[in-house]
Amino acid sequence: MRAVVEGQHPLAAVLGCADSRVPVELLFDSGFGDLFVVRNAGTMSTTAAIASLEYAVGHLDVSLVVVLGHEACGAVSAALNPQLLLTPSLSQVVGQLRMELLQYGEHLSLEESCRRHTLSAAAILVHSSVLLTDRVRAGHLAVVAGYYDLHSSAIDWMGHVEPIGYPGPAQASISRQR
């Protein structure tokens, strides 16, 4: 703990869910200063999350970003249930998730919705930041999507995010590697 008082030099950054069942530092068996962790409801690639990860990559020289979704995400579950009454702030997050998930159709299971959202959050992260896109293209940054199974405590590594080049709108592809 004293070794990190003067500064931080994390090995990786993680964008994860605020869900208390997904203790990022414990899952990766990390100590003080090992991980730069950004958590929010639903593992969302929000402006604040992107800015935080840009800091980790741009100022702390982190070369690996993990986007970690999980089984039975409450925010994704709420997005699949439009009848829920939510606070205004939660409605905004859930509404974003609902719009994202509608592109995949209306009959996805919670499991499939959670998995697809994890991949989408990773792609949005890369394509919402010139810094992250440039670092990935230059080979100085890897952005990897993972899916945590609450029952087995296993992480399914779903692949690396690779920006697709121009011409055309920015898009990402996920290359599955095991």
Side-chain angles (χ1 to χ4, degrees), residues 80 101 104-113 116:
L80 296 175
L101 292 172
Y104 304 118
E106 294 187 29
H107 302 292
L108 289 180
S109 68
L110 177 57
E111 168 85 7
E112 184 62 23
S113 295
R116 287 194 185 208

Side-chain angles (χ1 to χ4, degrees), residues 21-52:
R21 300 170 296 172
V22 188
V24 173
E25 290 86 352
L26 295 176
L27 291 177
F28 292 110
D29 193 26
S30 61
F32 287 98
D34 290 343
L35 296 176
F36 187 93
V37 180
V38 177
R39 293 173 64 158
N40 61 44
T43 314
M44 299 290 290
S45 289
T46 63
T47 301
I50 293 164
S52 297

